[in-house]
Every structure is written in structure tokens, then in C-alpha cells.
Amino acid sequence: SQKMNGVVFNKRFLDLPVLQTPENVPAFIKILPHLMTVRRVDDSLSGKIRRMLQSAESIDTLSLKTIAEHLNTSQDTVRRRLNKEGSSYTEIKESVRRDMAVYHLQRKDTAIGEIAYLLGFSEPSAFNRAFKNWTGVTPGDYRRAAV
């Protein structure tokens, strides 16, 4: 009964080989509903940082330095480990911003200016530009289309 459904996965999975063959597709289809409904915790460093950013009061309150200190490591180590995972702090931060923007715009109970503030933008126009870059439409247009 949802107006919109989505699947989110890390872009590093796009580089993995396709494992299904015509012979094992029927068995795979039988377990697919379970795979789609069971929430799996991403224990990668990217996943940990994503969860930290999502739970922060404001995304900009968590710098890479703060995250490294929380993880009891150096900023360089965090960068190196993220690079091995095929990601970066900036990419994760932008991904979280985009996902949170979409979430709030679909709920319709938060003003666009407030969403911009929550996501760490200095002004709504900067948020509008970023959102249009992410999705191809303005936040207002996205919200109206999500009816």
C-alpha cells in the first residue's frame, strides 16, 4: 500500500559477478521474498559511517575527524579503509543527504527550508541546487509528484 518502494545498495555491488544461472533461477526466486524483507545490517565501515550520519542531529555536525575519533582511529585510516570499500566520506555523506531529503520530502510534514537546515545546507537555494543535481527535479516538484 506504499506510494513508493525502493531498494538501496552500495555501488560496490555493481562490480560483483552475476551468480545466477538459468538452472538455479527457480530456486533463487523462491527465496527472493525473504531476501527482500529481511533487513541486513551493513557492518562495513561505509555502513557504520552511514548510520552515524543518519542518527546525527545535523549531518554537518559529524566531520571526518569526529568520526575517526569515535572509531578510535585516524582520519587517514578511515580514508584508506573507505577507499578499499570503493567509497569515500564525501560520497557517503552526499548519499545520506539525498536519502534523507527524499524521506522528508515524501513525508510532507517538514518545510523544505527546514529539510535544508537538517541536511547541513546554509540556505534553501543551495539545497534546491543539490537536490536537482541528485534527482533532476527541484524539491518542490519532487514533493508534488510524490502525492
Side-chain angles (χ1 to χ4, degrees):
S1 64
Q2 296 295 315
K3 294 177 184 169
M4 180 185 287
N5 292 312
V7 176
V8 179
F9 58 91
N10 191 298
K11 70 179 181 179
R12 66 189 159 109
F13 295 123
L14 294 174
D15 294 327
L16 295 175
V18 176
L19 300 178
Q20 303 309 319
T21 64
E23 294 77 31
N24 66 10
V25 167
F28 179 72
I29 289 173
K30 286 181 183 176
I31 65 164
L32 194 56
H34 175 70
L35 294 175
M36 299 299 284
T37 57
V38 173
R39 182 177 172 102
R40 300 185 190 281
V41 176
D42 182 357
D43 286 331
S44 67
L45 180 60
S46 300
K48 289 176 185 174
I49 292 173
R50 172 176 276 281
R51 286 188 297 280
M52 289 171 71
L53 288 167
Q54 289 169 334
S55 63
E57 186 173 316
S58 174
I59 288 178
D60 277 354
T61 61
L62 278 181
S63 65
L64 181 59
K65 180 181 178 186
T66 304
I67 287 172
E69 288 170 357
H70 179 76
L71 297 171
N72 297 316
T73 189
S74 70
Q75 293 179 59
D76 288 337
T77 299
V78 171
R79 283 189 197 98
R80 199 170 29 256
R81 288 180 55 201
L82 287 174
N83 189 40
K84 281 184 180 179
E85 291 181 6
S87 190
S88 73
Y89 176 67
T90 303
E91 289 173 352
I92 296 167
K93 188 174 178 179
E94 285 303 297
S95 172
V96 169
R97 278 182 159 168
R98 182 196 63 235
D99 294 348
M100 290 177 72
V102 166
Y103 169 78
H104 285 293
L105 289 168
Q106 289 174 343
R107 290 193 51 199
K108 301 183 183 192
D109 60 351
T110 308
I112 291 175
E114 179 67 16
I115 296 170
Y117 170 76
L118 288 171
L119 300 180
F121 289 94
S122 58
E123 55 189 59
S125 61
F127 170 59
N128 286 346
R129 283 190 303 276
F131 193 83
K132 188 166 185 175
N133 186 43
W134 296 329
T135 64
V137 297
T138 65
D141 289 342
Y142 185 90
R143 179 170 268 175
R144 284 186 288 279
V147 174

